[in-house]
Amino acid sequence: MKKTILFLLFALFSFQIDAQFSQADRDSLNKLTQIDYKDMMQKLGIQKIRQGANGSDPKATNAANYDESKANAFPILPNPLVFNNRKKVKKAKQWKVRKAEIIEDFDREIYGRMPANTPKVDWQIIKSTDTTIADIPVIINKLIGKVDNSIYPKVNVNIQLTITKAKVNLKKSPVIMEFSFGSFRRPGDTTKAPIPTPSWQIETLKRGWSLAILVPTSIQADNGAGLTQGIIGLMNKGERRQPDQWGSLRAWAWGASKALDYFETLPELDASKVAIEGHSRYGKAALVTQAYDERFAIGFISSSGEGGAKLHRRNAGELVENVAASNEYHWMAGNFIKYAGPLNWGDLPVDSHELIALCAPRPVFISAGNVGDAWVDVKGTFMAAVAAGPVYKLLGKKDLGTRELPKIEQGLMAGEISFRQHNSGHTPAPNWPIFLEYAARYFK
């Protein structure tokens, strides 16, 4: 029952995110998405894929599995410390070469290749506010990052970013950057009421750190219809993707990297101490961001599930087939669809433990909930964190220190890979205080 309730909450949340669209708009988006999806299937030579898991009806023939005895359909994982030529990685200095091999596999088959020459972004402050938050004097700057679209003027990309800095006597402050589900203001919303400040943001400001809120959908739409728009559409000059080109997760990560470029120009921010955080689909994006951009000092990866920290080779909760379907395929490279038919999960050249390993030696906090968060496969997420451990140890850092899933709310926080499952639902909120303490160890 709790799993069913969670799935319905997911559906309701998705509806709320799209509430700015009329039914006609949503129907049009769906139609255009189906056209793009069919085009990609034709390019791959695939007629259909296997059905994904049903998380709402436990009696369905394709009901999501939550029985651990049936979960490990492909128990043997690719070894991140074995080269493609089957030789072993024995020394830390060899990791750079092996890392490049792993990135190539993720680029080609999972998240897609980012173009080599992406355009410049011109950051402009559109509003600056001198105010207080919870009695803390702050300056809030709302910015638009105008992406140079000279290669294809028909597509405009304006990245939405908000930076909030506490007015304390610090020359440089660390930054917590969050992928946000919100926006500056939805069309038709004329309310003047202030938006409540989440407690984690207040606690961050109390530490003298700065906040950065990035809106991913201002970089790339969260639907297949938008793949000829946004940064992906701009780079393709309005044409549809090829199977190995980047999807929305990689595009959102690119946007975060461009924001970090901007931070490096600001003397009041310490660009060497920037954390990236995301929840659910944005948890996937946060992990991709930290894995691909070595400048991000630390990551908070919350309930990221399939396509994030969860092992692909697991029959638990959301599956490869779910993400490869027409409502989520845009997150990934087109090639990813192949592994939902005719190929299997075990045919993937890499798995998510290697995505975590790409973050090494930098600290990463893997997080999930309990009540109703089974869809993200907490056990499979933990297993991925464990399997990334040998890379961290090779580089002289600490792994989780155990292969046993810890009790709920018993965090494994001693190493550069950390893990904690809180006792609430599909939310990062209970783990924010834990993460801020964890980050403080590295932000001294």
Side-chain angles (χ1 to χ4, degrees), residues 117-156:
N117 298 309
T118 55
K120 294 181 179 179
V121 178
D122 179 23
W123 291 98
Q124 302 174 10
I125 297 175
I126 61 172
K127 184 177 182 181
S128 185
T129 304
D130 195 328
T131 185
T132 61
I133 295 177
D135 297 325
I136 305 168
V138 299
I139 296 177
I140 303 174
N141 287 331
K142 288 189 175 182
L143 300 101
I144 290 291
K146 293 184 174 295
V147 180
D148 180 2
N149 67 342
S150 56
I151 64 168
Y152 191 69
K154 291 183 179 180
V155 172
N156 292 296

Side-chain angles (χ1 to χ4, degrees), residues 160-229:
Q160 296 179 4
L161 174 70
T162 302
I163 302 175
T164 303
K165 178 172 175 56
K167 294 171 62 178
V168 295
N169 189 24
L170 290 175
K171 183 177 181 180
K172 285 180 175 287
S173 67
V175 184
I176 306 294
M177 184 193 298
E178 180 186 49
F179 283 121
S180 172
F181 282 99
S183 64
F184 280 11
R185 194 168 294 282
R186 293 178 181 174
D189 182 1
T190 59
T191 179
K192 301 295 184 180
I195 299 173
T197 303
S199 60
W200 74 265
Q201 295 187 11
I202 295 173
E203 291 304 313
T204 298
L205 293 170
K206 285 181 178 178
R207 292 175 181 270
W209 302 351
S210 296
L211 304 169
I213 307 300
L214 183 67
V215 180
T217 51
S218 66
I219 303 162
Q220 184 62 45
D222 193 6
N223 55 65
L227 288 171
T228 55
Q229 298 292 316

Side-chain angles (χ1 to χ4, degrees), residues 6 9-10 13 17 177-181 200 214 216 222 249 252 276-287 299-305 308 331 365-373 376 422 424-432:
L6 174 67
L9 286 174
F10 278 163
F13 183 69
I17 291 298
M177 184 193 298
E178 180 186 49
F179 283 121
S180 172
F181 282 99
W200 74 265
L214 183 67
D222 193 6
L249 293 179
W252 295 340
I276 183 68
E277 183 272 342
H279 173 68
S280 198
R281 67 193 62 189
Y282 293 158
K284 308 178 202 294
L287 183 55
F300 178 8
I301 316 304
S302 174
S303 297
S304 58
W331 293 340
F365 177 37
I366 308 295
S367 163
N370 175 32
V371 180
D373 213 16
V376 305
H422 60 72
S424 296
H426 190 65
T427 172
N431 271 346
W432 264 112

Side-chain angles (χ1 to χ4, degrees), residues 26-43:
R26 288 195 289 272
D27 290 344
S28 177
L29 282 173
N30 182 62
K31 182 178 180 180
L32 293 173
T33 292
Q34 295 301 326
I35 292 172
D36 185 88
Y37 188 69
K38 183 178 180 180
D39 176 78
M40 182 56 69
M41 294 283 278
Q42 290 175 341
K43 287 173 179 174

Side-chain angles (χ1 to χ4, degrees), residues 384-397:
V386 170
V391 175
Y392 275 81
K393 293 182 73 174
L394 178 75
L395 300 180
K397 301 299 181 180

